[in-house]
Amino acid sequence: MSYRQLPLHDHQIPASPIVLGCMRFGGDWDGAPITEDLVVEGHQAVEAALEIGINHFDLADIYTRGKAEHVFGRILSERNGLREQIIIQSKCGIRLVGDDEGPQRYDTSGAHIIKSVDGILSRLGTEYLDILLLHRPDPLAHPQEIGEALSKLHQAGKVRNFGVSNMGSEQIRLLQMHSRMPFIVNQLEMSLDKIGFVEAGVTVNRAQAKENVFPYGTMEYCQAERIQLQAWGPLAQGRFTGRAIEGQRPEIEATAELVARIAKERGVTSEAIVLAWLMKHPAGIQPVIGSIRPERILACRDAAQVELTRYEWYELYSSSCGRRM
């Protein structure tokens, strides 16, 4: 697996082209305690990731209501030297449950960001995060307040780099105006099923543009500003890699068959083809695979080595959107 140099500050660990998303670590999203079986399950997922060269791990303070970070913290404590060999990013900015201050909501107030990071570091048992992402756009966000909070976290050595998730170019631009630290990551939903990131460009001045919700210009802005684009949900919940797809739109079934055919011709897994389609984009998209199953993680092994032709890429794109270019 080839590595790329993210614009990371303070150290220069090359990042793997695929990230392991740890949303499923820790079991269900309930108050049940963390069992040893769940810790073992996490160890097995991390081992599979390391085996295929993944050194970049994605978490969030809300994942399984904090249990994902607790489990990952156990893994770090039980694998000597692992922390220094990997890139850990986590996210904050969503309050899952209501409290005395209000309902479930987004919260990027400075106080909440700082408190969230302290909680993240405590659960992980580490002194710093390589990257902190703001999880969702907050309509009540104060950019200057956010910038001041991020500066405090960086100066305290708690967070080395910053990014965002699910934001368009103008939202990032506004935040960047008030932050001394550059935003180096933007994580968005992109896959062979969620093709809005392509449609936003190719449907300009066409009727189909009205149906697309992906923020126009975001791909180009991130490329121009050297912001690493990451794709959450890149395997489309298995729709093209063996999951039962009865009742799905016809394009899903046709595209799944096409993925299987190309995978057979290339001698790789369907997962490798689905990820390679994303990774061919000139933005250098970094897929964040969300499986905890070792066999599913291992199935992604060859994605970075598959170089789809333009014909194959457009064939897959046309199949997914259900029309010719």
Side-chain angles (χ1 to χ4, degrees):
M1 181 177 287
S2 59
Y3 289 74
R4 65 171 62 120
Q5 195 67 59
L6 284 178
L8 295 172
H9 291 260
D10 299 332
H11 66 71
Q12 296 296 318
I13 298 176
S16 50
I18 297 172
V19 180
L20 182 66
C22 303
M23 186 175 69
R24 292 182 170 83
F25 283 39
D28 295 327
W29 291 57
D30 57 19
I34 296 169
T35 64
E36 287 302 311
D37 286 345
L38 291 173
V39 176
V40 170
E41 181 182 56
H43 268 291
Q44 291 171 341
V46 169
E47 182 63 35
L50 295 172
E51 182 177 332
I52 65 170
I54 292 175
N55 71 348
H56 196 156
F57 297 85
D58 174 81
L59 295 129
D61 57 356
I62 64 168
Y63 286 170
T64 58
R65 299 185 182 275
K67 293 190 292 182
E69 289 174 335
H70 275 298
V71 168
F72 204 88
R74 280 281 305 273
I75 294 167
L76 290 176
S77 70
E78 294 170 10
R79 297 183 71 108
N80 289 335
L82 179 63
R83 178 66 189 95
E84 292 72 29
Q85 301 169 20
I86 62 175
I87 296 168
I88 299 177
Q89 68 182 35
S90 193
K91 313 180 198 73
C92 72
I94 299 178
R95 290 182 182 259
L96 272 186
V97 294
D99 54 28
D100 293 340
E101 300 175 4
Q104 180 171 313
R105 61 201 183 277
Y106 302 148
D107 189 347
T108 57
S109 62
H112 182 69
I113 290 171
I114 291 172
K115 182 179 179 181
S116 296
V117 169
D118 287 339
I120 291 168
L121 296 179
S122 176
R123 288 187 290 274
L124 290 173
T126 186
E127 295 180 352
Y128 67 93
L129 280 178
D130 295 292
I131 310 171
L132 173 71
L133 307 186
L134 302 178
H135 208 155
R136 290 276 179 179
D138 176 7
L140 298 181
H142 289 272
Q144 185 173 353
E145 182 181 349
I146 291 172
E148 291 171 356
L150 302 189
S151 291
K152 289 178 182 177
L153 289 169
H154 185 258
Q155 291 168 5
K158 294 180 179 181
V159 182
R160 294 182 169 180
N161 302 273
F162 299 91
V164 298
S165 181
N166 303 297
M167 291 196 190
S169 57
E170 295 310 305
Q171 293 168 313
I172 303 171
R173 194 192 309 274
L174 178 61
L175 289 175
Q176 191 66 83
M177 288 173 61
H178 297 274
S179 175
R180 298 191 193 96
M181 295 297 297
F183 292 99
I184 67 166
V185 169
N186 187 15
Q187 189 177 120
L188 299 149
E189 186 177 16
M190 296 181 280
S191 71
L192 191 52
D193 184 34
K194 299 294 183 180
I195 56 174
F197 72 101
V198 181
E199 297 279 83
V202 302
T203 61
V204 170
N205 204 35
R206 297 172 65 185
Q208 296 97 325
K210 295 184 297 184
E211 303 167 5
N212 184 52
V213 298
F214 194 92
Y216 173 71
T218 296
M219 300 296 289
E220 294 80 1
Y221 174 80
C222 290
Q223 286 177 266
E225 297 297 322
R226 296 185 69 238
I227 296 173
Q228 176 64 57
L229 282 154
Q230 294 179 346
W232 64 265
L235 291 170
Q237 292 75 51
R239 291 183 180 90
F240 307 116
T241 55
R243 173 183 164 187
I245 53 175
E246 290 80 5
Q248 299 276 348
R249 57 189 176 88
E251 292 85 356
I252 296 289
E253 184 174 353
T255 305
E257 292 175 357
L258 180 56
V259 167
R261 191 201 81 202
I262 296 174
K264 184 177 180 179
E265 292 171 353
R266 294 300 194 97
V268 298
T269 63
S270 293
E271 286 86 354
I273 297 300
V274 171
L275 296 180
W277 183 82
L278 269 178
M279 296 163 76
K280 188 175 177 65
H281 193 281
I285 296 169
Q286 210 181 10
V288 182
I289 59 174
S291 181
I292 198 169
R293 292 163 45 197
E295 65 273 17
R296 191 98 191 277
I297 297 168
L298 294 172
C300 301
R301 182 191 304 269
D302 296 321
Q305 278 68 53
V306 175
E307 180 62 35
L308 295 175
T309 65
R310 275 179 168 264
Y311 178 91
E312 291 168 329
W313 192 92
Y314 273 104
E315 188 178 22
L316 287 163
Y317 169 58
S318 296
S319 178
S320 180
C321 66
R323 67 174 190 274
R324 294 187 301 171
M325 291 298 297

